[in-house]
Coordinates of all heavy atoms in Angstrom, one line a residue:
R567 N -4.4 -0.8 1.9 CA -3.7 -0.2 0.8 C -2.7 -1.2 0.2 O -1.7 -0.9 -0.5 CB -3.0 1.0 1.0 CG -3.9 2.0 1.8 CD -3.1 3.4 2.0 NE -3.8 4.2 3.0 CZ -3.6 5.5 3.2 NH1 -2.6 6.1 2.5 NH2 -4.2 6.2 4.1
Y568 N -2.8 -2.5 0.3 CA -2.0 -3.6 -0.3 C -3.0 -4.8 -0.5 O -4.0 -4.9 0.2 CB -0.7 -3.8 0.4 CG -1.0 -4.4 1.9 CD1 -1.2 -5.7 2.2 CD2 -1.0 -3.4 2.9 CE1 -1.4 -6.1 3.4 CE2 -1.2 -3.8 4.2 CZ -1.4 -5.1 4.4 OH -1.7 -5.5 5.7
G569 N -2.4 -5.8 -1.2 CA -3.2 -7.0 -1.4 C -2.3 -8.2 -0.9 O -1.0 -8.0 -0.6
R570 N -2.8 -9.4 -0.8 CA -2.0 -10.5 -0.3 C -0.9 -10.8 -1.2 O 0.2 -11.2 -0.7 CB -2.9 -11.7 -0.2 CG -3.6 -12.3 -1.5 CD -4.4 -13.5 -1.3 NE -3.5 -14.7 -0.9 CZ -3.7 -15.5 0.1 NH1 -4.6 -15.1 1.0 NH2 -2.9 -16.5 0.4
K571 N -1.0 -10.5 -2.5 CA 0.2 -10.8 -3.4 C 1.4 -9.8 -3.2 O 2.5 -10.2 -3.1 CB -0.3 -10.7 -4.9 CG -1.1 -11.9 -5.4 CD -1.4 -11.7 -6.9 CE -2.2 -12.9 -7.4 NZ -2.6 -12.8 -8.8
D572 N 1.0 -8.5 -2.9 CA 2.0 -7.6 -2.5 C 2.8 -8.0 -1.3 O 3.9 -7.9 -1.1 CB 1.3 -6.2 -2.2 CG 0.5 -5.7 -3.5 OD1 1.1 -5.8 -4.5 OD2 -0.6 -5.2 -3.2
Y573 N 1.9 -8.5 -0.3 CA 2.5 -8.9 1.1 C 3.5 -10.1 0.9 O 4.6 -10.2 1.3 CB 1.4 -9.3 2.0 CG 1.9 -9.6 3.4 CD1 2.0 -8.6 4.4 CD2 2.3 -10.9 3.8 CE1 2.6 -8.9 5.6 CE2 2.7 -11.1 5.0 CZ 2.9 -10.1 6.0 OH 3.4 -10.3 7.2
L574 N 3.0 -11.1 0.1 CA 3.8 -12.3 -0.2 C 5.1 -12.0 -0.9 O 6.1 -12.7 -0.9 CB 2.9 -13.4 -0.8 CG 1.9 -14.0 0.1 CD1 1.0 -14.9 -0.6 CD2 2.5 -14.8 1.2
R575 N 5.0 -10.9 -1.8 CA 6.3 -10.6 -2.5 C 7.4 -10.1 -1.6 O 8.6 -10.4 -1.7 CB 6.0 -9.6 -3.6 CG 5.5 -10.1 -4.9 CD 5.6 -9.0 -6.1 NE 4.5 -8.1 -5.9 CZ 3.3 -8.2 -6.4 NH1 3.0 -9.2 -7.2 NH2 2.4 -7.2 -6.3
I576 N 6.9 -9.4 -0.5 CA 7.9 -8.9 0.5 C 8.4 -10.1 1.2 O 9.7 -10.2 1.5 CB 7.2 -8.0 1.6 CG1 6.7 -6.7 0.9 CG2 8.1 -7.6 2.6 CD1 5.9 -5.7 1.8
V577 N 7.5 -11.1 1.6 CA 8.0 -12.3 2.2 C 9.1 -13.1 1.3 O 10.0 -13.6 1.9 CB 6.8 -13.3 2.6 CG1 7.3 -14.5 3.1 CG2 5.9 -12.6 3.6
Q578 N 8.8 -13.1 0.1 CA 9.6 -13.8 -0.8 C 11.0 -13.1 -0.9 O 12.0 -13.9 -0.9 CB 9.0 -13.8 -2.3 CG 9.9 -14.6 -3.3 CD 9.3 -14.5 -4.7 OE1 8.2 -13.8 -4.9 NE2 9.9 -15.1 -5.7
V579 N 11.1 -11.8 -0.9 CA 12.3 -11.1 -0.9 C 13.1 -11.4 0.3 O 14.3 -11.7 0.3 CB 12.1 -9.6 -1.1 CG1 13.3 -8.8 -0.7 CG2 11.6 -9.2 -2.4
L580 N 12.4 -11.4 1.5 CA 13.2 -11.7 2.8 C 13.7 -13.1 2.8 O 14.8 -13.4 3.2 CB 12.2 -11.5 3.9 CG 11.7 -10.1 4.1 CD1 10.6 -10.0 5.2 CD2 12.7 -9.1 4.4
R581 N 12.9 -14.1 2.3 CA 13.3 -15.5 2.4 C 14.4 -15.9 1.4 O 15.1 -16.8 1.5 CB 12.0 -16.4 2.2 CG 11.2 -16.3 3.4 CD 11.7 -17.2 4.6 NE 11.1 -16.9 5.8 CZ 9.9 -17.0 6.3 NH1 9.0 -17.4 5.5 NH2 9.5 -16.7 7.5
E582 N 14.3 -15.1 0.2 CA 15.4 -15.3 -0.7 C 16.8 -14.8 -0.2 O 17.8 -15.4 -0.5 CB 15.1 -14.5 -2.0 CG 14.1 -15.3 -2.9 CD 13.7 -14.5 -4.1 OE1 14.1 -13.3 -4.2 OE2 12.9 -15.0 -4.9
F583 N 16.7 -13.8 0.7 CA 17.9 -13.3 1.3 C 18.4 -14.3 2.4 O 19.5 -14.5 2.5 CB 17.6 -11.9 1.9 CG 18.8 -11.4 2.8 CD1 19.8 -10.8 2.2 CD2 18.6 -11.3 4.2 CE1 20.9 -10.3 3.0 CE2 19.6 -10.8 5.0 CZ 20.8 -10.4 4.4
D584 N 17.4 -14.8 3.2 CA 17.7 -15.8 4.3 C 16.5 -16.7 4.4 O 15.4 -16.2 4.8 CB 18.0 -15.0 5.5 CG 18.4 -15.8 6.8 OD1 18.1 -17.1 6.7 OD2 18.8 -15.3 7.8
S585 N 16.7 -17.9 4.1 CA 15.6 -18.8 4.1 C 14.9 -19.0 5.5 O 13.8 -19.4 5.6 CB 16.0 -20.3 3.6 OG 17.0 -20.8 4.5
L586 N 15.7 -18.6 6.5 CA 15.2 -18.7 7.9 C 14.9 -17.2 8.5 O 15.0 -17.1 9.7 CB 16.3 -19.4 8.7 CG 16.5 -20.9 8.4 CD1 17.6 -21.5 9.3 CD2 15.2 -21.7 8.3
Y587 N 14.7 -16.4 7.6 CA 14.4 -15.0 8.1 C 13.1 -15.0 8.9 O 12.2 -15.6 8.6 CB 14.1 -14.1 6.8 CG 14.3 -12.6 7.1 CD1 15.4 -11.9 6.6 CD2 13.3 -11.9 7.7 CE1 15.5 -10.6 6.8 CE2 13.5 -10.6 8.0 CZ 14.5 -9.9 7.5 OH 14.6 -8.5 7.7
G588 N 13.2 -14.5 10.1 CA 12.0 -14.4 11.0 C 11.0 -13.4 10.7 O 11.4 -12.2 10.6
I589 N 9.7 -13.9 10.4 CA 8.7 -12.9 10.1 C 7.6 -13.2 11.1 O 7.1 -14.3 11.2 CB 8.2 -13.1 8.7 CG1 9.3 -13.0 7.6 CG2 7.0 -12.1 8.3 CD1 8.9 -13.3 6.3
T590 N 7.2 -12.2 11.9 CA 6.1 -12.2 12.8 C 5.0 -11.2 12.3 O 5.3 -10.3 11.5 CB 6.5 -11.8 14.2 OG1 7.1 -10.6 14.2 CG2 7.5 -12.8 14.8
T591 N 3.8 -11.5 12.8 CA 2.7 -10.7 12.2 C 1.5 -10.6 13.2 O 1.5 -11.3 14.2 CB 2.3 -11.3 10.8 OG1 1.5 -10.3 10.1 CG2 1.3 -12.6 11.0
D592 N 0.6 -9.7 12.8 CA -0.7 -9.6 13.5 C -1.9 -10.0 12.5 O -1.8 -9.6 11.3 CB -1.0 -8.2 13.9 CG 0.1 -7.6 14.9 OD1 0.6 -8.4 15.8 OD2 0.5 -6.5 14.7
I593 N -2.8 -10.7 12.9 CA -4.0 -11.0 12.1 C -5.3 -10.8 13.0 O -5.4 -11.2 14.2 CB -4.0 -12.4 11.6 CG1 -2.9 -12.6 10.7 CG2 -5.3 -12.8 10.9 CD1 -2.7 -14.0 10.0
I594 N -6.2 -10.1 12.4 CA -7.5 -9.8 13.0 C -8.5 -10.8 12.5 O -8.6 -10.9 11.3 CB -8.0 -8.4 12.8 CG1 -7.1 -7.4 13.4 CG2 -9.4 -8.2 13.4 CD1 -7.4 -5.9 13.1
V595 N -9.2 -11.5 13.3 CA -10.3 -12.3 12.9 C -11.7 -11.7 13.2 O -11.8 -10.9 14.2 CB -10.3 -13.7 13.5 CG1 -9.0 -14.4 13.0 CG2 -10.5 -13.7 15.0
G596 N -12.7 -11.9 12.4 CA -14.0 -11.4 12.7 C -14.2 -10.0 12.4 O -15.1 -9.2 12.9
F597 N -13.4 -9.4 11.4 CA -13.6 -8.0 10.9 C -15.0 -8.0 10.3 O -15.4 -8.9 9.6 CB -12.6 -7.6 10.0 CG -12.5 -6.2 9.7 CD1 -12.0 -5.2 10.5 CD2 -13.1 -5.7 8.4 CE1 -12.0 -3.9 10.1 CE2 -13.1 -4.3 8.1 CZ -12.6 -3.5 8.9
P598 N -15.7 -6.8 10.4 CA -17.0 -6.7 9.7 C -17.1 -7.2 8.3 O -16.2 -6.7 7.5 CB -17.4 -5.3 9.9 CG -16.6 -4.8 11.1 CD -15.3 -5.7 11.1
G599 N -17.9 -8.1 8.0 CA -18.1 -8.6 6.6 C -17.3 -9.9 6.3 O -17.2 -10.4 5.3
E600 N -16.4 -10.3 7.3 CA -15.5 -11.4 7.0 C -16.3 -12.7 7.0 O -17.0 -13.1 7.8 CB -14.5 -11.5 8.1 CG -13.5 -12.7 7.9 CD -12.5 -12.9 9.1 OE1 -13.0 -13.4 10.1 OE2 -11.3 -12.8 8.9
T601 N -16.2 -13.4 5.8 CA -16.9 -14.6 5.5 C -16.0 -15.7 5.9 O -14.8 -15.6 6.1 CB -17.3 -14.7 4.1 OG1 -16.2 -14.7 3.2 CG2 -18.2 -13.5 3.6
E602 N -16.5 -17.0 5.7 CA -15.7 -18.1 5.9 C -14.6 -18.2 4.8 O -13.5 -18.7 5.2 CB -16.5 -19.4 5.9 CG -17.5 -19.6 7.0 CD -16.8 -19.6 8.4 OE1 -15.6 -20.1 8.4 OE2 -17.3 -19.3 9.4
E603 N -14.9 -17.8 3.6 CA -13.9 -17.8 2.5 C -12.8 -16.8 2.8 O -11.6 -17.1 2.6 CB -14.6 -17.4 1.2 CG -15.5 -18.5 0.7 CD -16.9 -18.5 1.4 OE1 -17.2 -17.6 2.1 OE2 -17.6 -19.5 1.2
D604 N -13.2 -15.6 3.3 CA -12.2 -14.6 3.7 C -11.2 -15.2 4.8 O -10.0 -15.0 4.8 CB -12.8 -13.3 4.2 CG -13.6 -12.6 3.2 OD1 -13.1 -12.6 2.1 OD2 -14.7 -12.1 3.5
F605 N -11.9 -15.8 5.8 CA -11.1 -16.3 7.0 C -10.2 -17.4 6.3 O -9.1 -17.5 6.8 CB -12.0 -16.9 8.0 CG -11.4 -17.6 9.1 CD1 -10.4 -16.9 9.9 CD2 -11.6 -19.0 9.4 CE1 -9.7 -17.5 11.0 CE2 -10.9 -19.6 10.5 CZ -10.0 -18.9 11.3
A606 N -10.7 -18.2 5.5 CA -9.8 -19.3 4.8 C -8.6 -18.7 4.2 O -7.5 -19.3 4.3 CB -10.6 -20.2 3.9
D607 N -8.8 -17.6 3.6 CA -7.6 -16.9 3.0 C -6.6 -16.6 4.0 O -5.3 -16.6 3.8 CB -8.0 -15.6 2.2 CG -8.8 -16.0 0.9 OD1 -8.6 -17.0 0.4 OD2 -9.4 -15.0 0.4
S608 N -7.0 -16.1 5.2 CA -6.0 -15.8 6.3 C -5.4 -17.1 6.7 O -4.1 -17.1 6.9 CB -6.8 -15.2 7.5 OG -7.2 -13.9 7.1
L609 N -6.0 -18.2 6.8 CA -5.4 -19.4 7.3 C -4.4 -19.8 6.3 O -3.2 -20.2 6.6 CB -6.5 -20.5 7.4 CG -7.5 -20.4 8.5 CD1 -8.5 -21.5 8.5 CD2 -6.8 -20.4 10.0
K610 N -4.7 -19.7 5.0 CA -3.8 -20.1 3.9 C -2.5 -19.2 3.9 O -1.4 -19.7 3.7 CB -4.5 -20.0 2.6 CG -3.6 -20.5 1.4 CD -4.5 -20.4 0.1 CE -3.7 -20.9 -1.0 NZ -4.3 -20.7 -2.4
L611 N -2.7 -17.9 4.2 CA -1.6 -16.9 4.2 C -0.6 -17.3 5.2 O 0.6 -17.2 5.0 CB -2.1 -15.5 4.3 CG -1.0 -14.5 4.3 CD1 -0.5 -14.3 2.9 CD2 -1.5 -13.1 4.8
V612 N -1.2 -17.8 6.3 CA -0.2 -18.2 7.5 C 0.7 -19.3 7.1 O 1.9 -19.2 7.4 CB -1.0 -18.7 8.7 CG1 -0.2 -19.3 9.7 CG2 -1.8 -17.5 9.3
E613 N 0.2 -20.2 6.3 CA 1.0 -21.3 5.8 C 2.0 -20.8 4.7 O 3.2 -21.2 4.7 CB 0.2 -22.4 5.2 CG -0.7 -23.1 6.3 CD -1.5 -24.2 5.6 OE1 -1.6 -24.3 4.5 OE2 -2.1 -25.0 6.4
E614 N 1.5 -20.0 3.8 CA 2.3 -19.5 2.7 C 3.5 -18.7 3.2 O 4.6 -18.7 2.6 CB 1.5 -18.7 1.7 CG 0.4 -19.5 0.9 CD -0.4 -18.7 0.2 OE1 -0.9 -17.7 0.6 OE2 -0.7 -19.1 -1.0
A615 N 3.2 -17.8 4.3 CA 4.3 -16.9 4.7 C 5.2 -17.6 5.7 O 6.3 -17.1 6.0 CB 3.7 -15.7 5.4
D616 N 4.8 -18.8 6.3 CA 5.6 -19.5 7.2 C 6.1 -18.7 8.4 O 7.3 -18.6 8.6 CB 6.8 -20.1 6.4 CG 7.5 -21.2 7.3 OD1 6.9 -21.9 8.1 OD2 8.7 -21.4 7.0
F617 N 5.2 -17.9 8.9 CA 5.4 -17.1 10.1 C 6.1 -17.9 11.3 O 5.7 -19.1 11.5 CB 4.2 -16.5 10.6 CG 3.5 -15.5 9.5 CD1 2.3 -15.7 9.2 CD2 4.2 -14.4 9.2 CE1 1.7 -14.9 8.2 CE2 3.7 -13.5 8.3 CZ 2.4 -13.7 7.8
C618 N 6.9 -17.3 11.9 CA 7.5 -17.9 13.2 C 6.6 -17.5 14.4 O 6.7 -18.2 15.5 CB 9.0 -17.5 13.3 SG 9.3 -15.7 13.7

Side-chain angles (χ1 to χ4, degrees):
R567 310 186 197 192
Y568 59 86
R570 63 179 289 126
K571 287 183 179 179
D572 302 316
Y573 187 90
L574 288 172
R575 273 196 287 270
I576 298 175
V577 171
Q578 181 182 0
V579 166
L580 297 175
R581 290 281 161 67
E582 285 175 353
F583 173 75
D584 181 346
S585 62
L586 300 179
Y587 202 103
I589 305 173
T590 55
T591 198
D592 303 315
I593 295 180
I594 296 172
V595 299
F597 188 81
E600 184 186 64
T601 64
E602 292 298 333
E603 290 77 14
D604 295 321
F605 176 62
D607 284 342
S608 289
L609 292 176
K610 185 179 179 183
L611 184 73
V612 170
E613 294 179 350
E614 291 174 317
D616 195 25
F617 295 118
C618 61

